[in-house]
Amino acid sequence: MAAEGAKEGDHALGITIDGLTVTVSSPRGELEADTENVVGESFDMTLSKLGAEGGLPDPDVLQYTIGPEGPKSVITGFGVIFPDLPEGPITVGDTWPTTVEISEASGEGNVIITVDAINTLEGFETIDGFECAKIEAVLTGTIEGGGIQQGAEWTMQSHMEGGGTWYFAYKEGILVRDITEGIADGTIVVDSPNGEMTIPVTREYGMVTELTK
């Protein structure tokens, strides 16, 4: 990710995919994604002063495949890669809400992930030489979707809980570190000619974003 100046009041960014590894684990074993089509490719995006992403290309532009699951987009994740700052001045202990929505589309259906966060300014710490605001986030959300797989109609619904900590170098305007983790529990209901089947499903997630020099 490299800064490319300003664009209509936002930061212009150039993104290059240097490498990508995706592994899906299931009771049937592990699947490694074929990411050859996206490694080495580049695209542009914008970032507002408060952290709102924009200017992203169509999700169909950069896709990888995971076995029978069909194509997945790299672009989707970049639409929510930065946390959002409050609109005005805050002091320690102040909170502000944010909401993000992620759409995961494939040939077998579509899943919408909605995450609501309550962010709190906990204090200040020095991280990697930067004086940072320390923000704690409490996360709740839902995972909902549906589609057709091998002729059977399916629907999914899960509830998500989690948390995160991010460090923002407020003097420089730089995100230094963002650590997020959580878990979602729910069910997938499959309606087939043999009847309806309910499958419990758990999704654990974790993400770390760090500034590199």
Side-chain angles (χ1 to χ4, degrees):
M1 180 176 293
E4 296 184 343
K7 183 177 181 181
E8 299 178 356
D10 293 335
H11 302 289
L13 303 174
I15 313 297
T16 300
I17 308 298
D18 287 334
L20 177 64
T21 301
V22 182
T23 303
V24 176
S25 299
S26 74
R28 293 176 293 179
E30 291 191 346
L31 288 175
E32 292 285 345
D34 181 1
T35 61
E36 183 179 350
N37 289 338
V38 300
V39 173
E41 297 295 325
S42 300
F43 62 92
D44 295 325
M45 64 178 288
T46 60
L47 184 69
S48 77
K49 294 179 180 180
L50 296 182
E53 300 86 353
L56 289 157
D58 189 282
D60 294 340
V61 172
L62 290 175
Q63 293 185 327
Y64 58 91
T65 56
I66 308 178
E69 292 192 11
K72 301 283 187 180
S73 175
V74 172
I75 303 300
T76 305
F78 283 90
V80 293
I81 195 170
F82 289 102
D84 294 334
L85 295 166
E87 294 184 359
I90 57 173
T91 59
V92 173
D94 286 350
T95 65
W96 69 98
T98 56
T99 298
V100 298
E101 186 175 280
I102 306 168
S103 176
E104 295 184 345
S106 70
E108 298 175 342
N110 188 54
V111 174
I112 302 295
I113 303 172
T114 303
V115 182
D116 297 308
I118 300 297
N119 306 281
T120 303
L121 176 59
E122 293 288 344
F124 301 89
E125 291 186 19
T126 299
I127 304 293
D128 295 338
F130 292 97
E131 186 177 343
C132 295
K134 178 183 178 181
I135 295 102
E136 296 284 353
V138 177
L139 309 175
T140 58
T142 58
I143 304 176
E144 298 178 316
I148 297 176
Q149 183 176 10
Q150 296 180 351
E153 184 176 355
W154 62 271
T155 57
M156 168 191 285
Q157 188 164 23
S158 297
H159 176 73
M160 176 191 302
E161 293 184 349
T165 304
W166 49 287
Y167 298 90
F168 181 71
Y170 55 91
K171 294 179 180 179
E172 296 84 0
I174 296 173
L175 177 65
V176 177
R177 185 177 300 160
D178 183 5
I179 304 171
T180 303
E181 60 183 14
I183 191 168
D185 288 313
T187 57
I188 296 177
V189 178
V190 181
D191 189 4
S192 70
N194 297 324
E196 187 176 276
M197 178 173 57
T198 300
I199 305 170
V201 60
T202 298
R203 175 186 289 209
E204 297 181 10
Y205 63 93
M207 184 171 70
V208 178
T209 304
E210 291 184 315
L211 176 69
T212 59
K213 303 178 183 178

